[in-house]
Amino acid sequence: MSISVLDLFTVGIGPSSSHTVGPMRAARGFVGRLQEQGLLEGVAGVRAELFGSLGATGHGHGSVGAVVMGLAGEEPHLVDPVAAAPLVQRVRQEGRLRLAGRHDIAFRTDDVVLHRRRRLPFHPNGMLFTAVDANGDQLLRRESYSVGGGFVLDEDETGTRTLVPDTTPVAHPFSTGAELLEITRRTGLRVSDVVLANELSWRTEAQVRAELLRVWAVMQECVAHGLGSTGVLPGGLRVRRRAAALHARLLAEADEQDPLRAMEWVTLYALAVNEENAAGGRVVTAPTNGAAGILPAVLHYQQTHRAGAGEDDVVRFLLTAGAVGMVIKAGASISGAEVGCQGEVGSACSMAAAGLAEVLGGTPDQVENAAEIGLEHNLGLTCDPIGGLVQIPCIERNAVGAVKAVTAARMAVRGDGAHHVSLDKAVRTMRQTGADMSDKYKETARGGLALNLVEC
């Protein structure tokens, strides 16, 4: 199986890759299958059932609206975040939905059912879609699973654990950190060079570069929008946006002699992105929406606080971060519903640390060490969002994770790459810890802070 770095870094809308982007893709895929089989015009009703973590926190994560948009034919990377809420509200008021944007049916938002205490066997984020005709007879029934980072598996793909069972041959196949390091030692290539060589199986080098720079442009736009937005985030907790005020304060102080000032900018960038995500804005899954602020924050730090940083650094950073994301996805999970927040913030921290170590001139061993440090010190991190909203503790957790990634990278490049715990051992430990973790700490809002801070 092969995976492209551009499968990890995709454009979508907040607040959650697994609970918003994934359900939208799954719903659109179901409608697409109806079209392929010539069944769309005969559909009189559709029912969508969400299970496990999706059912438990679907309201807070906007899962119902995401399903409605997907059934209407919208795609996460193309949908206008501003137009999304009115579309869902119109369906709620009129009780009608235009499937795939072309076939009108009776539909209520109650037809998206959230099962708070039931789950499907394969994964905590399970979905069941059913279409019926005017007589109530079933036309199509399909299961789908949102497995983290916006990746969706159809019921026919549940043995692969990848978005598509892609068998494209690549120049340097790897699924572990050890395999990646062995390739770099045998070829003399940097980590980013290895990933780039593999990407050429799908795209030209110019296309890879252009797509990664487009990802970076969306990250920059997200930061800029977050820095310019004020007010209260939706959802009922009345969490105030802080990025704009912090930005104004940093600009006003302008104390370049403060040795900790750079870390305040890292914190600011992460807050800006995750406030945008919580507001349902456009973000890059990196590798998830809940952890979307860490890579942009660290990459902004790299691009603005290192003399001579340019577009080549952006490309190398993202290629290297993608390599680590592939290793984690293959060996464990990037889904908070499956392994807790160690799979989201932990993975993003590890990826960002590796990317930064690469552009700081780190050897492949130092890059792997940076990734391991970033992941090791997030092991056991629970996912306990208050009210099922990607706000508390998620927004601040991204800021802390970004600073931790910078620390991990700089620690690694100051050393010689030798270390006791390998990235593979950290990934294995994350998988085992996730298996041992109680479900109440896996994005269900039934434990931790979600119980100890009463919703307002």
Side-chain angles (χ1 to χ4, degrees), residues 13-21 53 57-63 233-237 239 242 270-281 283 288-293 341 344-345 383-398 443 445:
I13 62 171
S16 172
S17 49
S18 58
H19 290 61
T20 312
V21 175
S53 175
T57 62
H59 282 300
H61 283 101
S63 302
L233 294 172
L237 292 180
V239 173
R242 289 176 287 175
L271 291 176
V273 171
N274 283 88
E275 287 175 358
E276 272 299 289
N277 178 64
V283 299
T288 67
N289 283 29
C341 198
E344 297 202 33
V345 163
C383 185
D384 51 354
I386 296 172
L389 298 166
V390 192
Q391 297 179 17
I392 305 174
C394 319
I395 296 172
E396 289 182 355
R397 188 169 285 175
N398 273 255
E443 211 165 358

Side-chain angles (χ1 to χ4, degrees), residues 301-384:
Y301 162 81
Q302 142 67 25
Q303 293 302 103
T304 57
H305 289 82
R306 280 191 66 236
E311 291 184 343
D312 288 344
D313 296 298
V314 172
V315 172
R316 288 175 54 211
F317 181 105
L318 292 175
L319 288 169
T320 304
V324 173
M326 295 173 200
V327 169
I328 294 173
K329 186 166 174 56
S333 175
I334 58 173
S335 168
E338 192 169 16
V339 296
C341 198
Q342 59 176 351
E344 297 202 33
V345 163
S347 296
C349 180
S350 179
M351 293 164 66
L356 182 57
E358 175 87 351
V359 297
L360 289 177
T363 66
D365 288 286
Q366 290 170 326
V367 169
E368 188 262 357
N369 187 197
E372 184 279 323
I373 294 171
L375 184 58
E376 177 185 345
H377 298 290
N378 282 289
L379 290 174
L381 193 61
T382 60
C383 185
D384 51 354

Side-chain angles (χ1 to χ4, degrees), residues 2-231:
S2 305
I3 184 172
S4 166
V5 67
L6 292 167
D7 291 329
L8 284 172
F9 301 130
T10 58
V11 178
I13 62 171
S16 172
S17 49
S18 58
H19 290 61
T20 312
V21 175
M24 192 186 304
R25 284 183 176 150
R28 190 179 191 280
F30 180 72
V31 172
R33 191 177 288 268
L34 286 169
Q35 289 180 286
E36 291 170 3
Q37 297 183 16
L39 300 172
L40 185 66
E41 304 303 326
V43 174
V46 171
R47 178 182 172 91
E49 300 175 69
L50 278 56
F51 297 83
S53 175
L54 288 175
T57 62
H59 282 300
H61 283 101
S63 302
V64 174
V67 169
V68 170
M69 287 186 283
L71 292 175
E74 297 286 356
E75 297 183 75
H77 67 292
L78 296 175
V79 65
D80 179 0
V82 176
L87 184 154
V88 176
Q89 184 60 27
R90 186 165 59 252
V91 171
R92 183 175 284 113
Q93 292 173 344
E94 298 176 358
R96 309 292 298 178
L97 173 66
R98 189 172 292 275
L99 283 180
R102 52 183 282 195
H103 177 60
D104 195 62
I105 64 169
F107 186 88
R108 300 175 303 153
T109 52
D110 289 347
D111 290 324
V112 183
V113 181
L114 303 181
H115 295 291
R116 296 180 58 86
R117 297 287 178 177
R118 294 173 57 193
R119 60 167 288 173
L120 298 179
F122 175 72
H123 189 276
N125 287 338
M127 295 165 279
L128 176 62
F129 295 91
T130 308
V132 298
D133 62 17
N135 297 320
D137 295 328
Q138 181 175 295
L139 295 174
L140 184 66
R141 177 187 183 278
R142 301 294 295 182
E143 289 181 10
S144 294
Y145 296 88
S146 181
V147 296
F151 286 78
V152 173
L153 300 182
D154 183 77
E155 61 185 51
D156 297 331
E157 302 169 327
T158 53
T160 68
R161 299 194 70 80
T162 60
L163 178 63
V164 177
D166 193 336
T167 56
T168 302
V170 296
H172 305 293
F174 66 89
S175 59
T176 67
E179 291 173 350
L180 178 58
L181 285 179
E182 191 280 326
I183 293 168
T184 63
R185 290 164 185 158
R186 173 167 45 83
T187 63
L189 296 173
R190 297 173 298 184
V191 172
S192 56
D193 295 327
V194 172
V195 182
L196 177 59
N198 288 348
E199 291 297 314
L200 300 183
S201 295
W202 294 284
R203 301 169 182 87
T204 67
E205 183 172 345
Q207 289 172 328
V208 173
R209 181 182 177 88
E211 286 298 308
L212 289 175
L213 290 176
R214 184 181 69 85
V215 165
W216 170 230
V218 175
M219 288 179 174
Q220 292 176 292
E221 291 167 6
C222 184
V223 169
H225 204 277
L227 295 181
S229 300
T230 59

